[in-house]
Amino acid sequence: MNRRTFIRCVGCGAAAAAAQSGLLPEFLGGVQNAMAFDYTKKLSSVEARHYKKKPDGGIECGICPRHCFVTDLERGYCGVRENRDDTYYTLVYGLSCAVNIDPIEKKPLFHFYPGTTAFSIATAGCNVNCKFCQNWEISQVRPEQVDNLDLPPKALVDVCRQRKVPTIAYTYSEPVIFYEYMYDTAELGHRSGVKSVMITGGYIEKQPLAELLPHLDAVKVDLKAIREAYYRDVVGGELQPVLDRLIQMKESGVWLELVYLVVPTLNDTEQEFRDLARWVKTYLGADTPLHFSRFFPQYLLKNLPPTPQRTLETAHSVCRAEGLEYVYLGNLRGHPSESTYCPGCGKIVVGRRGYTIYEYNLKGNLCRFCEKHIPGLF
Amino acid sequence: MSKVAVVKWAEPGVEDGLTSEQYSAMLAAGFEAFGKPDFLAKMLRRNRPDSIEKGLFSTPDSRADVVGIKTNCLTRRNATPIALAKALARALTGSGFDENNIIIWDRTCWELAQADYKINVSFSGTRCFGTDANGVGYSEEFYGSGPVNSLVSRILTEIVSHSINLPVLKDHWLAGVSAGMKNMYGAIHNPNKYHDNNCTPFCGHINHLEPVRDRHRLTIMDAVNVQYNGGPGYKGQYLSFYGGLIISEDPVACDRIGVEVVEHLRRRNRMPPLQAAGRPAKHIDAAAELGLGESNLEKIDLRVVDVDGTGSVSEGELLG
Ligand code: SF4
């Protein structure tokens, strides 16, 4: 029996049954519109960077410390890079699945042109799997499972210029996994007077980062914990490479801020806050902004309560006592620790409520009251 | 003891693949090897979930089983043969199941279509579509077993009452073999998160997800032409004729026998064992440790039979 006969055979009859059937309405109502489209054609096929072909077949990706070994027709852990006949492709080049114009404070970047906006984009995929992810609907899926907007680097830079948005933020999911798209956009942006900031977990290899940094104006790193076990059990990654990259970023001179999401019972002890402060002070400097952010139950951690305000305040006071100069509390709207205080005179130099700047007392980088230098790009 | 039947086509001249009638004869012999010709019907009815509420064409007073046939259409030229899917669908209708309640499926419509399956989302006949078909998609809730959690195809969570797995046996660069359990990577939304450490214990974790485990009834693994090296992508130079179907209710035991076949073909073609090639199929023992089945060869009740063109059946050899 040939194929056509088979189709006819299995497809015959049942019209009467169909007419009187109680179909799964929500299911069949949509299925009848299904099409066998080639989803790979809806994704990009731009050759990836930083990978090696293995002598016996397969490739090794060198973008992030996972170093995925990927064979023909398979994808790396992030789900957005695919081996096709031992050429490695990024499937998300120029394909944004989230696009917004956000206040720069939302990233959060507090020492980077306060009060400006950032054209914020993301693609699907991520190279870790944080159990608390707020954006899992884009970060933990494959690119064919989301709606993508065709927004290649030039179009992205052009739209920023047209709308007078000074900065592009690569954010929401994990820009490391859309490295090529970010790199080309940032490079083109610089040539066109548009800045770029990367909002990342910092889980990236040394060489790709070294090549990328000259095209970035600021980086915000989610340092998720100061314990390796937390990275293993809650994040699905490793701490040490992130710490190494933070030092590399600081040494490069790029503007750097940190966020630490405080998750009740998992990374919220005073000792962890103290260890964190000491590490930041030693390796990045006391003037590196550190934001503690409030956790809300999400994704795979719906069983935990939101972070109590007093835990965040403890984190703040421990880090200030250890000598960190710019410690902020996030997701606590209206809290005094949203503002920037001059370490010289103690007065507010940038007053914030949520994403709104209500007071601004800087002349360039200098405190208007005591002329102390406040680090950052203002 | 877990039972596995291996049915081998005993006549030459089928290197390009078997017809659906030949597969039908093999399935019949396989089901008989389980002790009864009506094995399929009895097995599915025995495992009927208590909570069947809706078949594709059920009415309030006639509740129906829906059987999902999970293919592997990752590669066009080494996909689950249409002839096999057809033979199984025919075996099901012959056992009293309504053809309207049979779904041949895989991850995407496109993968099915590129393997020459005809997408059928009409109101009649055996349906054929991917999880990406409009209106299907993945479960709203996450299912977990191990550190990674996943959304599972609604075909498994909401539509079918029984799942029959129709994988293609082949070598796999990471897992050692891609057999039945590996085929269920195509049932979740994030298979890329399950490849570390030679897919161990992650392959077991996927098969341990509640909808995958609870709906699984039978694996019928195509091992007619087996790619013993360079998989899962198609590499024709490594295809070798074995001529078999490997059938079991136990997904672990079925894959264990699959490993024996791949190792046999590797030996025959002067390739090193999977262990020496750096990809031991250790995910199979790990799956057994999760309680999914039997990986110890000594505890597997293996029956091998040969079938010829007249339909007559004789004792066969696994590695003959
Ligand atoms: S970027 Fe993606 S493919 Fe590359 S090593 Fe990281 S997770 Fe793997």
Side-chain angles (χ1 to χ4, degrees), chain A residues 61-68 70 75-81 88 126-127 176-177 203:
Chain A
C61 178
I63 291 281
C64 89
R66 284 193 178 276
H67 283 262
C68 294
V70 186
R75 295 188 191 175
Y77 181 90
C78 53
V80 303
R81 297 167 173 272
Y88 207 37
C126 186
N127 58 355
V176 166
I177 59 93
Y203 197 45

Side-chain angles (χ1 to χ4, degrees), chain A residues 28 53 91 108 112 144 241 291 308 322 368:
Chain A
L28 269 185
K53 296 189 189 208
L91 305 178
F112 185 85
E144 63 270 31
H291 304 250
E322 289 293 330
R368 194 164 63 81

Side-chain angles (χ1 to χ4, degrees), chain B residues 85 91 111 144 231-232 254-255 262-263 282 296 310:
Chain B
E111 283 166 302
C254 192
D255 283 13
V262 170
E263 293 282 26
K282 57 186 183 178
N296 183 346
T310 66

